[in-house]
């Protein structure tokens, strides 16, 4: 359990942040002997991106984290870029004298000799003490390819049917697959993506997972998650797409048209996310976490001691929707322990009218809202969150357009980048006339899971700490609130239950 009190301006109170300094991608998430590990791209000597290390934290519940010493440091092969960790249950690597142990597979980043061309090669490190200490493999790197300058972010998993390890790797704007029986020597099997999906940036941080289709009695599909880097021509910046299809242990095939693009998140701040190894929910759902920032402005966000947070950990599944099979994301239910039950409020069957505010008098800077409404005669219905006389973050639904949107144009500090203040939206069809929103607000973020995770919007916001008002509004006519729950959330830090 984390005991340090951390409460600087904007410091998230229930999202993972490093104690100090810069963080980007989540790395090496693995579950082993009752512990969830989270490693992350870390610059221990500065609050902007720099020589990359792997920071490390451990949790028993995905909510509270204990910070650990740095796991991997740059060495003669270069900086430590993104990658994964697996449990080598049968000691296929020979690192563990026959016992299970943890193996990290990551990118070593340096430069070609006598050149400033970046060189990216894959390497191993291993731990036989549950991730507390790590040894670099003496024959690093284990995989190189001079043809690709961008050649990184290995995600490795065991393929039970084929009885081999599979590595999915980003190579330029493609994903490549390699296989191995010992994690040390890797054979190329196939490449995916030349003409598929979005190529509006370099491909990074791929992940390949099998996910259950909800309510289908153990049917599943393979999902290839691919983050795509920032490009000055696109206001969205860095974002994450996914493909749904089949994987036979060697080759991935896309079920959808090559030019169809599926986005994991319609906000601006969910990047480089991947899933935990060696753990799944009883129905096969997988656990995911993303970096809650965007390369467009990540180095400029207005925090002091540290920079960047992770998203809430989420469960990933597939659902058959009216537009086809889609990935759905839900916050892990473990976060319910943070609800301040005595201060929770609930409403049901309320008619709201333009000009009224059901939430007048409520205040909060970290809370959960669960709302189910029928827009009725309203043109627009939604929330103004983290409000003051001058600030508000808008989460709204436009009935005719069937669009869910977030506007952070007036959400707080935004001058650090001209494209931060913005509005973005996603199509969201009502289900039997109703829209369901599950919203998490923290000191510097908002996450919306709409219609049980079918559409997700994750955004950073930087409101003044005094902007704590809430409003539920409707425009153009009456709407019906079938259910509304408001749960203030405790901080994950030690003073959580003490009066503020
Ligand atoms: C993605 C990324 C990865 C790389 C890492 C470097 O955000 O660019 O491709 O390994 O960050 O920190």
């Amino acid at each position: 359990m984390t005991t340090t009190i951390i409460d600087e301006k904007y410091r998230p109170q229930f999202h993972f942040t490093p104690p100090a300094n810069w963080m980007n991608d989540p790395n090496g998430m693995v579950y082993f002997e009752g512990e969830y590990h989270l490693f992350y791209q870390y610059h221990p000597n500065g609050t902007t991106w720099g020589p990359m290390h792997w920071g490390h934290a451990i949790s028993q519940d995905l909510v509270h984290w204990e910070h650990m010493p740095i796991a991997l440091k740059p060495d003669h092969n270069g900086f430590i870029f993104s990658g994964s960790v697996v449990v080598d249950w049968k000691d296929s690597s020979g690192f563990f004298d026959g016992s299970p142990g943890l193996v990290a597979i990551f990118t070593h980043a340096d430069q070609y000799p006598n050149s400033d061309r970046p060189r990216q090669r894959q390497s191993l490190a291993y731990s036989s003490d549950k991730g507390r200490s790590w040894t670099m493999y003496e024959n690093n790197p284990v995989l190189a390819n001079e043809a690709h300058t961008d050649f990184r972010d290995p995600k490795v998993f065991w393929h039970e049917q084929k009885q081999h390890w599979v590595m999915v790797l980003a190579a330029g704007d493609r994903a490549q697959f390699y296989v191995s029986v010992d994690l040390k020597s890797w054979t190329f099997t196939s490449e995916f993506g030349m003409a598929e999906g979005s190529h509006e940036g370099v491909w990074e941080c791929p992940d390949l997972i099998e996910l259950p289709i909800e309510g289908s009695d153990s049917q599943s599909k393979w999902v290839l998650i691919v983050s795509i880097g920032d490009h000055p021509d696109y206001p969205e910046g860095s974002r994450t797409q996914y493909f749904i299809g089949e994987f036979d242990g060697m080759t991935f095939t896309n079920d959808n048209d090559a030019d169809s693009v599926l986005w994991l998140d319609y906000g601006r701040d969910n990047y480089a996310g991947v899933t935990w190894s060696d753990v799944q929910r009883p129905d096969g759902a997988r656990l995911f976490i993303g970096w809650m920032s965007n390369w467009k402005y990540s180095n400029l966000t207005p925090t002091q001691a540290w920079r960047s947070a992770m998203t809430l950990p989420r469960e990933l599944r597939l659902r058959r929707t009216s537009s086809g099979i889609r990935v759905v994301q839900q916050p892990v239910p473990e976060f319910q322990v943070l609800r301040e039950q005595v201060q929770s409020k609930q409403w049901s069957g309320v008619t709201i009218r333009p000009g009224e505010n059901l939430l007048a008098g409520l205040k909060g800077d970290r809370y959960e809202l669960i709302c189910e409404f029928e827009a009725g005669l309203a043109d627009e219905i939604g929330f103004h969150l983290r409000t003051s006389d001058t600030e508000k973050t808008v989460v709204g639904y436009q009935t005719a357009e069937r669009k869910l949107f977030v506007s952070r144009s007036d959400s707080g500090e935004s001058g650090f980048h001209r494209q931060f203040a913005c509005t973005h939206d996603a199509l969201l069809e009502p289900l039997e006339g109703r829209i369901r929103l599950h919203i998490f607000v923290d000191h510097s973020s908002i996450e919306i899971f709409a219609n049980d995770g079918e559409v997700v919007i994750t955004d950073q916001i930087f409101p003044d700490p005094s902007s704590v008002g809430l409003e539920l509004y409707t425009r153009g006519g009456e709407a019906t609130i079938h259910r509304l729950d408001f749960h203030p959330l405790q901080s994950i830090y030690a003073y959580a239950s003490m009066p503020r």
Side-chain angles (χ1 to χ4, degrees):
M1 165 94 80
T2 311
T3 49
T4 338
I5 295 173
I6 310 186
D7 195 15
E8 309 103 302
K9 190 176 184 191
Y10 301 135
R11 176 72 84 166
Q13 296 295 297
F14 59 93
H15 287 82
F16 180 82
T17 50
N21 293 315
W22 167 269
M23 174 178 82
N24 57 292
D25 313 358
N27 293 150
M29 292 99 80
V30 65
Y31 181 75
F32 186 51
E33 300 204 356
E35 296 176 326
Y36 295 95
H37 293 264
L38 171 63
F39 301 86
Y40 51 91
Q41 288 288 282
Y42 188 45
H43 180 201
N45 306 313
T47 52
T48 51
W49 191 85
M52 283 291 109
H53 298 53
W54 271 26
H56 184 199
I58 293 180
S59 174
Q60 265 136 40
D61 61 1
L62 291 169
V63 177
H64 303 90
W65 293 91
E66 185 183 348
H67 294 292
M68 306 297 289
I70 287 172
L72 300 176
K73 296 182 179 162
D75 65 0
H76 63 282
N77 282 314
F79 300 154
I80 315 296
F81 275 16
S82 287
S84 49
V85 169
V86 293
V87 182
D88 184 7
W89 289 104
K90 297 180 195 155
D91 192 24
S92 64
S93 60
F95 290 143
F96 307 112
D97 277 334
S99 307
L102 297 178
V103 180
I105 308 96
F106 61 89
T107 301
H108 254 133
D110 64 352
Q111 272 147 13
Y112 283 92
N114 311 314
S115 151
D116 51 17
R117 182 184 170 204
R119 177 167 70 171
Q120 301 181 347
R121 303 179 294 176
Q122 320 321 314
S123 286
L124 307 179
Y126 54 95
S127 167
S128 41
D129 59 359
K130 302 200 292 176
R132 271 58 182 180
S133 66
W134 292 84
T135 307
M136 286 286 184
Y137 175 44
E138 57 190 4
N139 293 327
N140 279 341
V142 296
L143 180 63
N145 182 338
E146 291 206 13
H148 295 282
T149 301
D150 292 302
F151 189 64
R152 59 177 179 267
D153 308 339
K155 181 75 162 61
V156 173
F157 65 94
W158 177 253
H159 194 273
E160 190 56 36
Q161 231 178 332
K162 286 280 195 308
Q163 292 287 302
H164 59 208
W165 298 101
V166 175
M167 177 196 292
V168 52
L169 193 70
D173 62 350
R174 321 274 162 86
Q176 291 190 341
F177 301 95
Y178 294 79
V179 299
S180 171
V181 292
D182 61 2
L183 294 166
K184 292 171 176 166
S185 89
W186 292 92
T187 308
F188 173 82
T189 62
S190 64
E191 184 175 271
F192 172 82
M194 185 174 81
E196 322 233 7
S198 169
H199 292 261
E200 292 172 350
V202 66
W203 286 21
E204 300 184 314
C205 299
D207 193 1
L208 179 63
I209 43 172
E210 193 175 5
L211 289 183
I213 303 178
E214 282 179 349
S216 71
D217 205 18
S218 75
Q219 282 181 41
S220 60
K221 285 269 170 201
W222 286 83
V223 174
L224 177 65
I225 298 175
V226 176
S227 283
I228 56 175
D230 179 35
H231 188 291
D233 290 351
Y234 302 101
E236 292 86 355
S238 52
R239 49 200 162 141
T240 304
Q241 63 177 331
Y242 66 91
F243 303 89
I244 299 177
E246 297 299 337
F247 182 68
D248 62 3
M250 316 280 272
T251 305
F252 178 80
T253 44
N254 188 0
D255 278 359
N256 292 305
D257 293 342
D259 58 0
S260 90
V261 180
L262 303 175
W263 299 113
L264 197 67
D265 202 300
Y266 290 87
R268 294 280 156 91
D269 295 303
N270 179 1
Y271 192 63
V274 289
T275 58
W276 259 270
S277 291
D278 290 278
V279 63
Q280 57 185 36
R281 299 304 203 191
D283 69 345
R286 299 292 300 265
L287 300 170
F288 167 98
I289 199 168
W291 174 44
M292 200 156 51
S293 196
N294 190 314
W295 282 116
K296 206 169 266 308
Y297 45 69
S298 53
N299 278 287
L300 303 170
T301 53
T303 58
Q304 295 297 314
W306 90 101
R307 205 173 252 127
S308 297
M310 295 300 177
T311 67
L312 285 183
R314 301 160 182 198
E315 295 178 347
L316 300 189
R317 297 182 175 79
L318 293 170
R319 181 178 302 159
R320 294 187 199 280
T321 73
S322 50
S323 1
I325 300 179
R326 295 288 181 269
V327 170
V328 293
Q329 298 175 65
Q330 309 234 257
V332 297
E334 280 86 339
F335 275 83
Q336 291 171 16
V337 303
L338 296 182
R339 290 178 183 171
E340 301 262 25
Q341 299 290 359
V342 284
Q343 294 172 37
S344 291
K345 299 242 176 324
Q346 289 189 336
W347 296 261
S348 57
V350 185
T351 301
I352 57 165
R353 296 180 184 84
E356 294 175 3
N357 176 18
L358 190 64
L359 305 181
L362 284 188
K363 285 184 178 156
D365 59 5
R366 47 171 205 263
Y367 51 83
E368 199 181 334
L369 285 166
I370 301 170
C371 185
E372 183 170 324
F373 63 80
E374 214 163 319
L377 297 173
D379 304 327
E380 189 177 310
I381 167 172
F383 295 95
H384 293 161
L385 304 172
R386 300 299 311 267
T387 69
S388 66
D389 291 346
T390 53
E391 294 181 353
K392 65 173 185 289
T393 300
V394 189
V395 179
Y397 186 72
Q398 294 168 325
T399 320
E401 296 82 354
R402 298 219 218 26
K403 275 189 178 159
L404 177 70
F405 71 93
V406 168
S407 173
R408 63 178 182 188
S409 297
D410 300 315
S411 58
E413 250 186 289
S414 66
F416 53 89
H417 192 281
R418 69 190 164 80
Q419 282 168 309
F420 183 83
C422 60
T423 301
H424 31 261
D425 57 42
L427 259 188
L428 180 69
E429 297 292 341
L431 299 169
E432 293 169 2
R434 297 179 181 196
I435 294 290
R436 283 213 278 269
L437 302 179
H438 192 170
I439 304 175
F440 287 84
V441 173
D442 199 347
H443 285 187
S444 50
S445 64
I446 174 161
E447 282 157 292
I448 302 150
F449 301 86
N451 287 357
D452 303 310
E454 228 164 274
V455 164
V456 177
I457 299 185
T458 305
D459 278 315
Q460 293 185 90
I461 49 171
F462 297 98
D464 192 84
S466 64
S467 299
V468 291
L470 283 85
E471 186 185 351
L472 174 61
Y473 73 91
T474 170
R475 222 171 264 153
E478 292 180 3
T480 307
I481 305 298
H482 290 288
R483 170 187 174 195
L484 177 59
D485 297 357
F486 169 75
H487 301 289
L489 296 178
Q490 288 173 24
S491 167
I492 56 175
Y493 301 111
Y495 57 68
S497 51
M498 284 157 49
R500 301 195 78 209

